[in-house]
Amino acid sequence: MNPELLERAKVLGFSDRQIAHLTGQTEDAVRARRRELKLVPSYRLVDTCAAEFEAYTPYYYSSWDRGDDEVVASDRRKVMILGGGPNRIGQGIEFDYCCVHAAFALKEDGFETLMVNSNPETVSTDYDTSDKLFFEPLTLEDVLHIYEREKCWGAIAQFGGQTPLNLALGLKKNGVNIIGTSPESIEIAEDRKLFAAMLDRLGIPQPQNGLATTEAEALVIARRLGYPVLVRPSFVLGGRAMQIVYSDGELQHYMRYAVEASPERPVLVDKFLEDATEVDVDCVADMGHFPDAKDGTAVIGGILEHIEFAGVHSGDAAMVLPPHTLSLSVIETIRQYTHAMARELRVTGLMNVQYAVKGEKVYVLEVNPRASRTVPFVSKAIGVPLAKLAAKVMAGKTLQELGFTEERWPKYWAVKESVFPFNRFPGQDILLSPEMRSTGEVMGLDADLGIAYAKAQMAAGSPLPLKGKIFLSVAAPHKAEVAEVAQLFVNLGFELVATSGTASVLEKAGIKVQRVLKVLEGRPNIVDHLKNKEIQMVINTPSGAAPREDEVKIRTTAVMTGTPIMTTLSGARAVAMGIEALQKSGFQVRTIQEYH
Amino acid sequence: MPKRTDIHSVLIIGAGPIIIGQACEFDYSGTQACKALREEGYRVILVNSNPATIMTDPEFADRTYIEPITPLAVEKILVRELEEMRRMGVPVDAPGDGSTPGKLVLLPTLGGQTALNTAMALHRTGVLQRLGVEMIGAKADAIQRGEDRETFKQLMIQIGLDVPISGTAHTFEEARGVAERIGRYPLIIRPGFTLGGTGGGIAYNRDEFEEIARRGLDLSPVSEILIEESLLGWKEYEMEVMRDVADNCVIICSIENFDPMGVHTGDSITVAPIQTLTDKEFQIMRDASFAVIRAVGVETGGSNIQFSVNPENGRMIVIEMNPRVSRSSALASKATGFPIAKIAAKLAVGYRLDEIRNDITRETPASFEPTIDYVVTKIPRFAFEKFPQADPTLTTQMKSVGEAMAIGRTFKESLQKCLRSLEIGRSGLGGDGKPWRVGTDVYGDREILPNDIISRKLSVPNAERIFFIRHAFRAGFSADQIFHLTKIDPWFLDQIRELVEFEEELAASAPTIAA
């Protein structure tokens, strides 16, 4: 390719991929040609003074104008930390937190740390978080330039979420030393067949499942497993296009419109365990440092029990640490499975496991040998910086050396609640699903579980009412349970309001309830009452896959009027517990320095 | 003036959970503030309910409360901390001569709107006065002047700056009255004291006006909405200003919105420094910025001031001011290297700009205005795929969930770097082989899109508009036509045209390569 044209393309910001497509070559060929021509970017300083004074903070950006390169040379052992790029749903501040910890940890251990990220909102892109900051796009091309220019010893790709994970394979092919758990192990965790084989070997159950590349295959698998099934594309974070389907029709619709299935990117079809409790486990391990993994150490950082039923994305679910309803034997099983998988995968760094518990039986849903969204929450809850320890392990230390070999079981409760942007999107239904839609999270800490939950609700911007009226409307399958939940609120002094269906069920159970009109029954109806702020809380569970229009209207009105709303009965039970605790004693505040 | 010696402890309020309009930039600013104040020897107390933040790591503050950010919880923290200080033997109750550290103060300007609203609630209910807790960074009356739209507007008129014709309303009837007085649509509706303009919008007709006005009144915690003449299509600018206790002011960064007025600045592509103003226009805006921060009376710290300029006659209007560190401050810090939050924290405890050393040069003081010899582009990241029932049109209500920034020697270079940073599968403005999806239709990367689709995607602001400028040039639209559809400044359009022309040149060179 004409060197002059190639150089002009680079000066105008064209990526190798664009050049490749426009000129009918491969990206590798463009890169090879540039190498041949010694056409690489130079790195300039962000120095506040347009180079008028000398700058001491190493904050760089790349440019192709072939001016002076301003990077300060050093011969320390360098580790590159790949950040998470722009925030989006499913990939937020949690991963930036982990990257910052990696920088702090490796600095402490004498490495020179290089941060690469393109998100201006973060602490990772503060110029004094790492030894060198490269404000650059997280693409193979841009990252390789820095890695090669700086002659790094290794790179951490497991802390910044999906963005760097997607780059890991390409980086490795180009000679980058990705430190931590081996890419082979990561492949076992991500490849359905290898993963199932591993679980078989270890005798760990998982929900029955299959892989479909076409609609027909999906139907065959779903019929074999029996509905409902959980379907999702491979290789995504944040539950993009993940869905629970209840019938052939829904499954066909999903395969036709929601995903693009192909042999390279099959759709995963899992038997969905209804009414199971989901559990998230974060653990840190150093197995890869030992010829025999049995000599290594794995320590569980935290076991988080979801409050909502299985099927709500773990990024959206409320969670409790330590578990509040699981039996000791279930917890012991979870512990054993976690350790066994850490050993088998020779985990060196962090690992997150998602389990579903049905009765006393524990199933593994998914294993991710990398930093998870819950790592900062768990670290704060137990007072141990897991990401920092993991980064040190990845760079060579053992947990024995770091003095973290014992699981911590806190004597207080930590509740995680998610925060949603529904008030930004009028008309959007708010039901929780396997597709993650929350933007953030809060933590409620207290010695009393009810107070911890109430604090989490306050922090999330929907404080629990202490008195007033509660509107109840539940779907048919939940009607058996609703009387019991309603009684909890009656005992707490609330008045109940319901439309005909739910009201009949409650009246039959001998509970006093005020009847109001449904949306289509006339005015004033429930939506008017909500708008007039006559209702202090809404408990509304969905009536199946295609929600009725009036239900959606009730839920969206609750959001727009700032009325707290619970869309699951398990959530409602937690609310009752929180209100009871608040009514009894109010809440107190305490520092985390005192907790730990 | 050296730092204050009467302060013993500082309570910093964080921003709480990540929501649209208030993202992790406040972890960045709060973390910097914690570090800066501890460096000065103050005891730092922090409250933030978000466990995923660096600032809530136990080593960043002396006392870290992971508790709800509500007036009640913060009051409990203040009471508890005053008791703790008494227990430590701090002379909390003896006023003294200012030479003994005894005071507990509250810094509310680094935790976004959440922190500011919480502090103002504690001020209004008299809690701060009762407990003897002073607000530093910005006083309550300055916050009031900056945040209350009517007060702010009157103040701007007093100092001779132009403002949009507008009126506030507290009831639906008042709102109708204001709309009649302004007399023409479209109208902009902005609810008071809400984050990122929640509940606001643009009304093109009476029906829309009534709907948005009702929603805005509902959502504003003080049931107040501002109704304004439309500045749609005007150019939009932001200035990041800092001021110290001795009245020194500096501009840290000037930012130009690529998308004209009508799109929330958090949803706009923005560029630093300003690209399309003459030096004279820029200097007028700079002087106006200083006049605004002085009139509002933000004594110490940073503020963000938004301006609008009519491209037809150059009429310059002050839109609004944030009397606190904002999302744009984080961007300005990263764009210039100047640590706004850190300096704001130091100014809040009494330092002057000329007394604070710039870490980067170790030679120049913080009163030295940053100069940049590159171009910075920020592009918002949206998540509409998660909210299929929501309207993806960009308006004055922020909808983006994140952003990417890139630095280059030219706008063209930084734009393309930023586009490939977005994690939307694109490697630049186009020509990367990835097909384009418009509704249910799919077009090849180099395919020419139908004119009607292009026109629609240009005239109604949306997340992909930048790419449709490329499509438009490739489909033969003139820069003038694109300008009329988008009102995006011709200079920017020209830059994109150059990229498109080069793309064609590169594509034309392909056969010889293949041969």
Side-chain angles (χ1 to χ4, degrees):
Chain A
M1 188 178 173
N2 175 347
E4 185 266 344
L5 196 63
L6 185 56
E7 183 167 348
R8 270 175 61 213
K10 296 315 284 184
V11 171
L12 288 170
F14 281 82
S15 59
D16 284 355
R17 182 170 299 173
Q18 281 169 296
I19 297 169
H21 277 281
L22 289 166
T23 57
Q25 314 172 65
T26 63
E27 202 180 328
D28 287 343
V30 176
R31 182 160 45 244
R33 175 71 174 140
R34 279 198 299 97
R35 279 207 181 115
E36 198 180 288
L37 295 167
K38 296 200 165 42
L39 192 58
V40 291
S42 57
Y43 291 89
R44 298 299 189 87
L45 270 169
V46 171
D47 61 3
T48 74
C49 59
E52 198 173 324
F53 297 90
E54 191 169 347
Y56 294 89
T57 49
Y59 170 10
Y60 303 103
Y61 67 96
S62 69
S63 170
W64 292 86
D65 73 351
R66 333 263 357 238
D68 303 335
D69 192 292
E70 297 174 315
V71 179
V72 183
S74 97
D75 49 12
R76 283 158 69 201
R77 190 176 250 206
K78 293 170 183 161
V79 177
M80 173 186 268
I81 300 153
L82 298 171
N87 278 7
R88 57 260 195 211
I89 290 171
Q91 171 132 2
I93 185 173
E94 299 82 3
F95 296 108
D96 197 65
Y97 168 95
C98 291
C99 291
V100 170
H101 272 263
F104 290 164
L106 297 180
K107 248 195 216 183
E108 270 174 27
D109 280 8
F111 291 92
E112 180 168 308
T113 55
L114 279 69
M115 183 72 70
V116 185
N117 201 359
S118 59
N119 183 344
E121 303 174 327
T122 57
V123 177
S124 69
T125 52
D126 198 352
Y127 60 74
D128 59 3
T129 293
S130 52
D131 293 307
K132 285 179 180 163
L133 165 64
F134 289 85
F135 210 107
E136 290 286 291
L138 286 155
T139 68
L140 182 65
E141 172 185 351
D142 297 284
V143 170
L144 272 180
H145 282 150
I146 303 165
Y147 192 88
E148 286 165 3
R149 164 74 181 71
E150 288 288 289
K151 301 186 177 63
C152 295
W153 167 72
I156 295 186
Q158 289 142 25
F159 276 26
Q162 200 63 43
T163 299
L165 279 181
N166 288 346
L167 292 177
L169 209 59
L171 289 171
K172 201 177 156 67
K173 271 190 201 143
N174 281 279
V176 171
N177 171 28
I178 304 281
I179 64 172
T181 307
S182 75
E184 290 75 20
S185 289
I186 292 174
E187 205 193 333
I188 293 174
E190 282 179 357
D191 184 295
R192 280 277 139 163
K193 285 187 187 128
L194 295 175
F195 184 61
M198 179 190 86
L199 292 182
D200 269 354
R201 210 160 45 242
L202 299 174
I204 298 175
Q206 71 175 141
Q208 288 183 288
N209 60 76
L211 280 177
T213 57
T214 63
E215 184 184 315
E217 276 178 34
L219 286 169
V220 170
I221 296 166
R223 284 177 196 149
R224 173 167 58 83
L225 304 180
Y227 290 101
V229 293
L230 179 73
V231 284
R232 62 192 147 138
S234 29
F235 309 109
V236 293
L237 204 60
R240 178 80 199 100
M242 199 191 279
Q243 205 175 310
I244 299 164
V245 298
Y246 293 85
S247 64
D248 283 356
E250 277 176 44
L251 184 58
Q252 280 165 331
H253 187 272
Y254 177 85
M255 294 301 290
R256 278 178 208 168
Y257 303 108
V259 288
E260 292 163 56
S262 66
E264 298 80 49
R265 301 201 157 234
V267 169
L268 314 179
V269 184
D270 286 3
K271 170 75 190 155
F272 176 64
L273 302 168
E274 276 184 293
D275 299 316
T277 303
E278 269 188 49
V279 176
D280 262 62
V281 175
D282 281 304
C283 106
V284 54
D286 61 10
M287 307 297 187
H289 296 329
F290 298 87
D292 184 349
K294 277 203 268 314
D295 299 328
T297 312
V299 184
I300 289 182
I303 301 178
L304 300 107
E305 179 177 344
H306 293 209
I307 290 179
E308 285 87 5
F309 56 85
V312 172
H313 192 278
S314 73
D316 283 355
M319 301 183 190
V320 181
L321 180 154
H324 64 303
T325 70
L326 300 183
S327 71
L328 285 176
S329 76
V330 163
I331 290 170
E332 194 43 45
T333 306
I334 288 175
R335 202 172 273 142
Q336 277 172 13
Y337 287 177
T338 307
H339 282 262
M341 288 187 290
R343 252 194 318 273
E344 186 70 17
L345 292 168
R346 306 180 67 85
V347 170
T348 313
L350 290 163
M351 177 178 83
N352 169 269
V353 190
Q354 284 170 27
Y355 293 99
V357 179
K358 194 157 181 170
E360 288 290 296
K361 186 152 187 192
V362 179
Y363 299 85
V364 173
L365 298 180
E366 174 171 338
V367 172
N368 296 298
R370 55 163 172 84
S372 77
R373 205 172 285 114
T374 40
V375 162
F377 178 87
V378 171
S379 301
K380 298 283 155 77
I382 63 166
V384 177
L386 292 181
K388 210 168 181 175
L389 293 174
K392 291 189 175 196
V393 165
M394 288 162 84
K397 289 237 165 86
T398 64
L399 286 168
Q400 204 82 43
E401 286 171 302
L402 294 167
F404 185 62
T405 54
E406 292 290 319
E407 200 178 309
R408 304 260 173 109
W409 198 267
K411 293 189 187 63
Y412 43 85
W413 301 95
V415 174
K416 185 197 121 179
E417 183 54 285
S418 306
V419 177
F420 299 87
F422 297 124
N423 62 345
R424 297 278 163 167
F425 302 111
Q428 171 67 46
D429 196 7
I430 63 161
L431 287 181
L432 301 180
S433 73
E435 170 134 13
M436 178 172 168
R437 292 187 298 184
S438 61
T439 53
E441 67 185 89
V442 293
M443 180 182 214
L445 279 172
D446 205 85
D448 180 283
L449 177 57
I451 297 283
Y453 183 79
K455 279 183 175 178
Q457 297 304 316
M458 268 181 239
S462 55
L464 303 180
L466 296 183
K467 56 177 197 274
K469 289 183 180 172
I470 294 178
F471 174 72
L472 276 147
S473 164
V474 299
H478 305 127
K479 292 227 153 94
E481 249 185 294
V482 70
E484 184 209 331
V485 173
Q487 189 61 49
L488 294 173
F489 289 97
V490 172
N491 296 348
L492 294 169
F494 285 86
E495 289 174 57
L496 303 182
V497 177
T499 52
S500 52
T502 305
S504 308
V505 176
L506 294 178
E507 280 159 1
K508 223 172 271 168
I511 297 170
K512 201 181 140 210
V513 56
Q514 180 194 334
R515 283 179 179 248
V516 292
L517 296 181
K518 288 184 182 170
V519 177
L520 301 171
E521 289 175 345
R523 311 286 294 265
N525 57 43
I526 175 58
V527 167
D528 298 306
H529 294 300
L530 275 169
K531 284 185 174 167
N532 295 335
K533 313 244 161 128
E534 291 158 10
I535 306 285
Q536 278 63 50
M537 191 167 80
V538 173
I539 298 169
N540 175 233
T541 66
S543 65
R548 295 196 318 265
E549 207 174 307
D550 56 333
E551 262 184 57
V552 177
K553 184 102 182 137
I554 291 169
R555 291 193 283 263
T556 53
T557 308
V559 169
M560 286 301 155
T561 54
T563 313
I565 172 163
M566 290 292 140
T567 56
T568 63
L569 285 181
S570 46
R573 277 178 220 275
V575 165
M577 177 179 64
I579 292 173
E580 186 181 0
L582 273 187
Q583 282 179 343
K584 212 176 286 165
S585 54
F587 72 98
Q588 300 305 319
V589 292
R590 195 158 184 239
T591 65
I592 51 167
Q593 286 86 359
E594 293 164 281
Y595 276 111
H596 301 145
Chain B
M1 232 165 291
K3 70 175 187 196
R4 285 173 61 170
T5 51
D6 58 334
I7 297 172
H8 179 272
S9 300
V10 184
L11 172 67
I12 298 175
I13 308 184
I18 305 298
I19 52 177
I20 290 177
Q22 201 162 275
C24 54
E25 63 267 16
F26 296 108
D27 184 26
Y28 164 69
S29 55
T31 303
Q32 275 203 349
C34 288
K35 283 199 278 191
L37 294 177
R38 288 185 97 191
E39 208 174 274
E40 295 299 333
Y42 297 109
R43 180 166 164 273
V44 172
I45 308 157
L46 171 73
V47 55
N48 195 351
S49 55
N50 186 344
T53 51
I54 291 292
M55 71 196 290
T56 53
D57 268 1
E59 55 272 25
F60 280 87
D62 297 275
R63 306 269 285 173
T64 309
Y65 287 93
I66 301 188
E67 298 286 358
I69 306 175
T70 64
L72 180 62
V74 175
E75 180 181 348
K76 284 176 195 265
I77 290 167
L78 289 171
V79 169
R80 195 166 186 263
E81 285 303 320
L82 285 167
E83 272 166 26
E84 176 69 14
M85 284 165 70
R86 284 187 194 102
R87 204 185 53 73
M88 289 165 72
V90 178
V92 175
D93 306 298
D97 57 359
S99 63
T100 342
K103 277 190 175 161
L104 168 61
V105 297
L106 171 64
L107 180 57
T109 51
L110 293 155
Q113 198 69 41
T114 301
L116 212 57
N117 286 355
T118 306
M120 286 301 280
L122 290 169
H123 167 79
R124 276 196 290 271
T125 50
V127 171
L128 296 184
Q129 296 82 330
R130 180 161 51 76
L131 297 176
V133 173
E134 178 191 335
M135 246 197 253
I136 61 169
K139 300 273 176 267
D141 52 347
I143 296 172
Q144 191 70 36
R145 279 193 293 270
E147 295 261 305
D148 183 90
R149 295 181 183 281
E150 192 55 31
T151 318
F152 181 72
K153 197 180 114 186
Q154 291 310 324
L155 196 63
M156 293 303 101
I157 293 169
Q158 272 170 38
I159 60 171
L161 292 174
D162 202 350
V163 293
I165 309 166
S166 68
T168 47
H170 294 90
T171 65
F172 185 64
E173 284 62 41
E174 275 177 39
R176 268 192 177 148
V178 174
E180 270 162 37
R181 191 153 50 76
I182 299 173
R184 61 170 191 276
Y185 289 94
L187 290 169
I188 311 281
I189 297 113
R190 299 173 193 267
F193 290 93
T194 66
L195 279 169
T198 309
I202 304 160
Y204 289 88
N205 58 47
R206 206 185 155 102
D207 275 2
E208 281 178 6
F209 174 75
E210 299 195 345
E211 184 194 325
I212 300 169
R214 276 214 181 87
R215 188 174 71 209
L217 284 166
D218 254 14
L219 290 180
S220 165
V222 291
S223 286
E224 180 182 290
I225 54 170
L226 178 79
I227 300 149
E228 276 177 354
E229 73 171 302
S230 161
L231 308 179
L232 287 182
W234 290 32
K235 307 210 286 185
E236 188 170 0
Y237 299 93
E238 292 176 77
M239 297 287 251
E240 285 294 320
V241 199
M242 298 199 86
R243 183 179 182 224
D244 68 17
V245 71
D247 197 25
N248 298 303
C249 295
V250 286
I251 301 283
I252 305 305
C253 188
S254 67
I255 301 173
E256 173 156 3
N257 286 18
F258 173 93
D259 296 286
M261 290 288 290
V263 177
H264 190 281
T265 151
D267 284 354
S268 292
I269 296 176
T270 60
V271 182
I274 286 174
Q275 301 290 310
T276 72
L277 289 181
T278 63
D279 185 53
K280 190 175 165 191
E281 287 172 310
F282 174 74
Q283 296 303 333
I284 291 170
M285 201 173 281
R286 182 172 182 272
D287 290 346
S289 305
F290 292 159
V292 173
I293 196 170
R294 285 178 173 133
V296 169
V298 175
E299 273 179 18
T300 62
S303 287
N304 160 267
I305 305 169
Q306 290 168 26
F307 294 93
S308 177
V309 172
N310 187 337
E312 278 161 29
N313 55 22
R315 180 181 161 207
M316 183 185 83
I317 272 181
V318 184
I319 305 293
E320 67 170 21
M321 166 205 222
N322 284 308
R324 57 172 171 88
V325 169
S326 67
R327 179 184 45 258
S328 300
S329 317
L331 182 70
S333 293
K334 302 296 162 76
T336 59
F338 187 99
I340 293 177
K342 176 179 174 173
I343 306 294
K346 299 220 169 186
L347 296 178
V349 294
Y351 281 110
R352 285 191 326 239
L353 283 162
D354 58 303
E355 291 171 335
I356 306 168
R357 196 185 66 171
N358 177 337
D359 290 344
I360 294 186
T361 61
R362 297 188 193 163
E363 196 172 332
T364 53
S367 54
F368 209 88
E369 284 190 354
T371 315
I372 59 183
D373 53 357
Y374 45 80
V375 179
V376 177
T377 304
K378 171 217 92 175
I379 307 181
R381 174 67 155 81
F382 297 89
F384 290 116
E385 73 277 9
K386 298 269 184 180
F387 307 97
Q389 291 146 285
D391 175 10
T393 305
L394 304 185
T395 66
T396 55
Q397 172 161 234
M398 184 169 160
K399 292 175 179 171
S400 62
V401 293
E403 60 193 30
M405 181 185 107
I407 311 174
R409 300 296 285 183
T410 61
F411 171 68
K412 293 185 279 276
E413 187 182 30
S414 77
L415 176 72
Q416 293 232 74
K417 278 175 89 174
C418 201
L419 287 168
R420 71 173 184 265
S421 300
L422 277 179
E423 295 290 324
I424 53 172
R426 298 242 70 107
S427 302
L429 187 64
D432 53 12
K434 187 180 155 71
W436 304 94
R437 276 176 173 273
V438 184
T440 51
D441 298 329
V442 179
Y443 297 90
D445 171 45
R446 301 259 306 145
E447 211 171 315
I448 304 290
L449 272 62
N451 280 7
D452 56 326
I453 292 179
I454 295 174
S455 297
R456 192 178 72 231
K457 286 284 190 179
L458 289 179
S459 57
V460 181
N462 61 82
E464 294 91 36
R465 184 157 73 168
I466 179 81
F467 300 110
F468 279 85
I469 299 175
R470 167 182 175 270
H471 293 315
F473 277 121
R474 297 196 67 241
F477 284 55
S478 69
D480 203 44
Q481 275 173 300
I482 300 173
F483 171 75
H484 283 290
L485 288 164
T486 61
K487 300 289 184 204
I488 291 169
D489 192 276
W491 185 85
F492 288 118
L493 297 178
D494 212 42
Q495 301 295 308
I496 294 171
R497 188 184 45 76
E498 285 179 35
L499 289 175
V500 174
E501 280 171 5
F502 186 80
E503 180 187 328
E504 299 310 315
E505 190 180 337
L506 209 51
S509 77
T512 47
I513 299 292

